[in-house]
């Protein structure tokens, strides 16, 4: 808790542009949160294998088995059904007058060597599917124009009044900072789940 207080103090002293009161910030874990052609033999990618004569394009948005799943059972990017609940809660609490700003970095990769060689097509397709989904619900959605400095993006997300958590420890930390400042956190999960997803480590 003390560490959160320190982070809040640092953010409050930063000079970055912060989200408006009527803005909802959404963090998406791209990169190693998704399964792609470079994951042919990974046991943590449970969908159809791509190392075949007619490979299937991985699609985490439509098939949760194409969302990377860790040894602990955590997924780091979420399929469509997990965002149905978020859309419902946003419409109830802030209505579709809120502007959704998506923060996502396709370059993020930490779990192994990145074999994509600059091909971020699966990452961008997933991001665009999320954006199209929320636009179909009547929301105005835009992509955050990053300064290229991760600290600025972190401070921007921590300053949100409404925050949609993504997968991974960074998003979990941001959620704690947002909540400590009186903001509201929305957790992607299935309609059948009464409680939020377990916290990603």
């Amino acid at each position: 808790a003390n560490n959160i207080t320190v982070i809040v103090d640092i953010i409050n002293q930063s000079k970055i542009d912060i989200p408006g009161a009527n803005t909802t910030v959404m963090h998406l874990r791209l990169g190693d949160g998704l399964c792609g052609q470079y994951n042919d033999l990974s046991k943590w990618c449970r969908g159809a294998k791509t190392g075949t004569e007619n490979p299937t394009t991985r699609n985490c948005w439509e098939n949760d088995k194409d969302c990377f799943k860790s040894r602990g059972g955590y997924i780091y990017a979420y399929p469509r059904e997990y965002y149905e609940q978020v859309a419902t809660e946003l419409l109830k609490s802030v209505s579709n007058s809120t502007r959704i700003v998506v923060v996502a970095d396709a370059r993020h990769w930490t779990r192994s060597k990145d074999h994509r060689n600059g091909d971020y097509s699966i990452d961008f397709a997933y991001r665009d599917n999320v954006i199209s989904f929320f636009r179909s619900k009547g929301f105005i959605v835009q992509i955050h124009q990053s300064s290229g400095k991760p600290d600025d993006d972190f401070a921007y997300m921590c300053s949100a009044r409404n925050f949609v958590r993504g997968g991974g420890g960074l998003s979990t930390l941001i959620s704690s900072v947002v909540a400590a400042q009186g903001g509201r956190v929305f957790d992607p999960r299935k309609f059948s789940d009464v409680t939020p997803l377990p916290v990603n480590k």
Side-chain angles (χ1 to χ4, degrees):
N2 290 335
N3 290 338
I4 297 297
T5 302
V6 171
I7 292 173
V8 169
D9 288 343
I10 292 171
I11 288 169
N12 288 337
Q13 294 172 29
S14 67
K15 301 188 183 304
I16 63 155
D17 290 333
I18 64 173
N22 197 36
T23 297
T24 295
V25 176
M26 177 181 296
H27 181 222
L28 300 181
R29 175 74 172 262
L30 303 181
D32 59 4
L34 302 169
C35 295
Q37 278 76 356
Y38 39 84
N39 283 124
D40 296 348
L41 302 177
S42 172
K43 62 183 177 180
W44 310 115
C45 289
R46 301 150 291 144
K49 302 302 181 187
T50 59
T52 61
E53 186 176 339
N54 296 304
T56 302
T57 300
R58 303 279 196 178
N59 186 350
C60 171
W61 181 246
E62 300 293 348
N63 179 10
D64 76 324
K65 291 186 177 181
D66 286 337
C67 306
F68 179 80
K69 188 173 185 179
S70 72
R71 289 182 179 86
Y74 304 112
I75 59 175
Y76 290 82
Y78 307 116
R80 175 203 304 265
E81 63 178 326
Y82 284 68
Y83 285 102
E84 292 282 0
Q85 182 84 344
V86 172
T88 299
E89 291 179 357
L90 281 174
L91 287 169
K92 260 188 216 175
S93 60
V94 294
S95 83
N96 60 10
S97 65
T98 186
R99 179 184 300 272
I100 296 176
V101 177
V102 174
V103 181
D105 184 1
R107 297 167 300 176
H108 183 92
W109 195 279
T110 58
R111 60 179 159 86
S112 63
K113 181 179 178 181
D114 186 353
H115 295 287
R116 294 175 297 171
N117 298 315
D119 178 6
Y120 303 132
S121 56
I122 287 177
D123 307 272
F124 294 145
Y126 176 82
R127 180 199 65 190
D128 292 347
N129 278 329
V130 175
I131 290 172
S132 295
F133 170 77
F134 280 94
R135 283 178 177 164
S136 75
K137 302 291 185 180
F139 293 99
I140 297 171
V141 188
Q142 65 188 63
I143 298 169
H144 176 61
Q145 299 303 311
S146 174
S147 68
K149 299 176 181 177
D151 286 350
D152 286 354
D153 292 341
F154 175 74
Y156 177 84
M157 289 187 280
C158 286
S159 302
R161 300 302 302 161
N162 299 295
F163 180 68
V164 180
R165 183 173 68 83
L170 176 65
S171 223
T172 299
L173 175 59
I174 293 167
S175 297
S176 297
V177 176
V178 169
Q181 299 185 95
R184 182 164 180 181
V185 177
F186 298 86
D187 291 300
R189 61 185 185 276
K190 295 180 181 178
F191 266 122
S192 58
D193 292 342
V194 177
T195 56
L197 293 170
V199 172
N200 301 116
K201 303 297 185 183

